[in-house]
Amino acid sequence: MIKTQPSLNAQGCSLKQEDDGSRGLLEKKAHELLDKDLLSPLLGAGLFSDFVQRFIFIPIKSLDRARGLEYAFEGGWKSEWGNNPLADSYYEHWNLDKDAPALVLNTTVVGTGERLLLSPFRFNSPDSKFPPLNDIRTVACSVNEAHINFPLSTAAVLSARFPLVTPVGWFNKCNDANGEPLKNDNKESLTYKNGLKTRLADGGYFENSAFTTARDIGRRLEKILEDKKISDKTFKMRSHKIVLQ
């Protein structure tokens, strides 16, 4: 029996069944990517480049062993697909006018255990009745008015850190969840140079299923729809997929 699969109009990929009844194209490519050796680059980086960095007092991002795993994902994807969205900015992976889903990823703040989201859009507004959803781009320090930015591969690995295998990530925090500047003891706004160093671990420490995040996003969307229906009867909603991890 040959099972039919729906097509997926995203990045030129398709889930249409092969003529010989084998796996769909996207499923086949996913298996081929995950069949590659993704662990050796991580181990190599940990034993050599990251080990050397233990004796260097200035952090060098390219020597981080977590980058070994990220490079492996990027290289594996490129060898299968040709293009390389994993090496592109995380904030470019989602487009309002396209069908590809928006990836909202959970991370956990080391020391406090609170959730911090990686999200291509913001959820908070000054008049919101809900507790703010912290997202990294809102709270992170900007450099020369440029927001924090990182590859899609970094976002994926950052939300799935494993103790000892991959180190925690970190960034400098300058704002609260609503984007208001934090102050130091002298009542001066924090900058990148004196921002709060915030470390991030696996999002599963906060919640392994992402159900709470999905519920919180859903409640905000419902409130937006209620407000729009009251103020604008011609408002029309266009549905989009959101994938949470």
Side-chain angles (χ1 to χ4, degrees):
M1 181 177 68
I2 299 178
K3 296 181 179 179
T4 59
Q5 297 177 319
S7 61
L8 178 62
N9 184 20
Q11 299 292 338
C13 304
S14 174
L15 283 177
K16 293 181 179 179
Q17 194 69 28
E18 301 278 1
D19 293 338
D20 59 357
S22 62
R23 296 189 181 102
L25 177 59
L26 185 59
E27 184 181 0
K28 179 181 178 182
K29 289 292 186 180
H31 277 270
E32 291 175 353
L33 171 61
L34 296 177
D35 281 341
K36 296 183 180 298
D37 182 9
L38 302 175
L39 185 59
S40 292
L42 172 63
L43 294 177
L47 292 174
F48 296 99
S49 60
D50 192 76
F51 178 75
V52 171
Q53 187 165 241
R54 302 305 99 192
F55 304 95
I56 303 175
F57 297 103
I58 300 176
I60 302 175
K61 297 179 181 179
S62 60
L63 298 182
D64 192 314
R65 63 182 182 275
R67 286 299 290 154
L69 181 58
E70 295 167 16
Y71 291 145
F73 278 123
E74 294 172 8
W77 182 283
K78 186 175 182 179
S79 66
E80 294 298 329
W81 294 102
N83 62 338
N84 200 358
L86 290 178
D88 296 336
S89 170
Y90 162 76
Y91 294 99
E92 296 176 358
H93 84 271
W94 180 71
N95 189 314
L96 181 65
D97 298 322
K98 295 184 179 180
D99 294 332
L103 302 177
V104 179
L105 307 176
N106 281 331
T107 66
T108 305
V109 178
V110 177
T112 65
E114 65 180 325
R115 170 185 56 188
L116 184 69
L117 299 179
L118 309 182
S119 170
F121 36 71
R122 294 184 60 184
F123 299 100
N124 306 326
S125 60
D127 58 346
S128 176
K129 298 181 179 179
F130 301 107
L133 278 175
N134 293 345
D135 72 276
I136 191 170
R137 200 165 213 190
T138 299
V139 303
C141 303
S142 58
V143 181
N144 298 326
E145 299 184 355
H147 293 291
I148 189 172
N149 201 1
F150 42 84
L152 180 57
S153 61
T154 299
V157 175
L158 186 60
S159 69
R161 299 279 178 171
F162 295 94
L164 299 180
V165 179
T166 48
V168 296
W170 65 270
F171 70 98
N172 288 337
K173 180 178 179 180
C174 288
N175 308 309
D176 62 17
N178 289 317
E180 297 297 326
L182 298 175
K183 307 290 185 178
N184 58 18
D185 295 337
N186 297 324
K187 306 300 181 181
E188 298 173 341
S189 298
L190 297 181
T191 65
Y192 181 81
K193 292 183 178 180
N194 64 354
L196 302 176
K197 190 170 184 177
T198 305
R199 294 175 171 84
L200 301 177
D202 193 309
Y205 289 115
F206 176 84
E207 178 198 19
N208 200 36
S209 66
F211 174 80
T212 302
T213 302
R215 182 201 62 185
D216 292 343
I217 294 175
R219 292 173 62 189
R220 283 163 172 76
L221 293 176
E222 288 179 351
K223 184 65 171 62
I224 292 173
L225 288 177
E226 290 176 1
D227 293 343
K228 287 293 184 179
K229 287 180 180 179
I230 293 174
S231 60
D232 185 2
K233 295 182 180 180
T234 64
F235 174 77
K236 295 182 180 180
M237 175 184 175
R238 179 179 177 183
S239 62
H240 288 277
K241 309 181 192 73
I242 299 178
V243 177
L244 300 119
Q245 179 178 339

